[in-house]
Amino acid sequence: MRKIILKGGRLIDPATRTDDYIDLLLANERVAKWGEGTPVDEDTLVIDVRGAVVSPGLVDMHVHLREPGREDEETIESGALAAAHGGITAVAAMPNTEPTIDTPAWVEYVRSRGTAIAVYPIAAITVGRGGKTLTEMAALAEAGAVAFSDDGSPVESATVMRRALEYASMVGRPIISHCEDLNLTGSGVMNEGFASTMAGLRPIPAAAEEVAVARDIILARTTGANLHIAHVSTRGSVELVRRAKEEGIAVTCETCPHYFTLTDDDVRTYATSTRVNPPLRSAADVSAIKVGLADGTIDAIASDHAPHSIEEKEVEFDAAPPGLIGTETLLPLTLTHLVESGTITLGRAVELMSTDPASILGIPHGSLAEGSRADVTVFDPDWAWEVSEDWFLSKSKNSPFIGRTLRGRAVLTISRGEIVFEEPGAAHRAGETHEEGEHHAAELSVHA
Ligand code: DOR
């Protein structure tokens, strides 16, 4: 296996509290050495990454890869490639497939695909995600499930959720809760407010999420188990989690880029790519999410990558399934809407997309300390570019961000020491000439 030196980049690694211009040597699938003076032999690939940021590989803790069952929308392989395209080197795949990932055999199936990046299975909390019978959590954990979730639908019974938290705690895995009170959701399709009234679409109140967040926090306190709340979207949920953390309850949570970049006003276009569950919320909710990301209430940014076919999405708004693709725009949206705007620092962004999700899942990612797995993301934070449908590698194209101009994106993704995505022309190889002091970002011919 080839050694790689990433030369001249700004290395940001929150795990080791590093933000400095340091060269990185990767060898034998590991981070081998930091700093200059590393001997270069003919087996070493030297990549000039001046002007770019070098971070631990991004970890997307919430994706839907649709295999088994809906391979027309995404497969584990295509989902992994799309993630690598977005600078992600590890994903956790939700079990709402057909059939559900609720047996050790299916967990092993997901793990054994041999993908470009690491794919970690999340197993269901209840058999068939039916909400009634708990899965065999010990066997599923043993087979490699990193967490349990019935994502896509909530566990409606508080008793079942309580038992799930107790068992998950015994096997040392978090429960990832899709918090939604289905009675309050009713037949709603978008956030309740002025926009739903104007659009004439059936509303979903913020309380549908918040009631469930409150319940699960109480159950986490009762059981002492690790609770992770998926796709937090409202101000009230952020406040509940903040208070729970102050109390010392073992709760973590994530939000997704669409909850800090879009509002329910965007739904008034009736574009079905804006139909998602939980729904896009109000501007006040978006502000509260941003505060939560900055002050540490929210622990992770995950994409909730939810591929849907054109046939399914090209229908009237009410009839479209909820969900949007997200792995490829996770980093650009975070850089554009949080870092560029000064809401959070680059270091905090890396923490939210790598260090912290890795630690919540207990997986060996999210650090560039010497000896760590050689998973690295190199991104250009300044590149202004327009999102186009044909840029996506995902099998599905249901993104509400097509046509938008974003700033920053991944140019090189390395998983276990192997280059799994490289933007053509983005990095200079050793031996190629370049002017002293010339910046990588400026060299990209595709730069506007
Ligand atoms: O919008 C969503 N789509 N929310 C979910 O919870 C599930 C996901 C999906 O699987 O399509």
Side-chain angles (χ1 to χ4, degrees), residues 64 66 96 151-153 178 231 275-278 304 306 308 322-324:
H64 299 271
R66 304 295 189 226
N96 62 334
D151 185 69
S153 38
H178 171 114
H231 42 55
R275 179 156 186 208
V276 59
N277 192 22
D304 196 359
H308 288 292
L324 50 100

Side-chain angles (χ1 to χ4, degrees), residues 152 178-197 200-212 233-234 259 264 267 274-282 285 317-318 320-323:
H178 171 114
C179 290
E180 181 179 7
D181 183 313
L182 294 176
N183 292 306
L184 284 168
T185 298
S187 57
V189 295
M190 75 172 284
N191 185 47
E192 181 175 281
F194 180 71
S196 63
T197 304
L201 290 171
R202 290 186 304 277
I204 303 172
E209 175 175 318
E210 292 157 4
V211 163
S233 72
T234 78
Y259 300 122
D264 52 3
V267 179
T274 64
R275 179 156 186 208
V276 59
N277 192 22
L280 301 177
R281 304 289 189 182
S282 70
D285 292 306
F317 194 89
D318 287 49

Side-chain angles (χ1 to χ4, degrees), residues 136-157:
E136 295 194 21
M137 291 185 173
L140 291 163
E142 176 83 7
V146 291
F148 298 96
S149 182
D150 274 2
D151 185 69
S153 38
V155 174
E156 282 195 84
S157 156

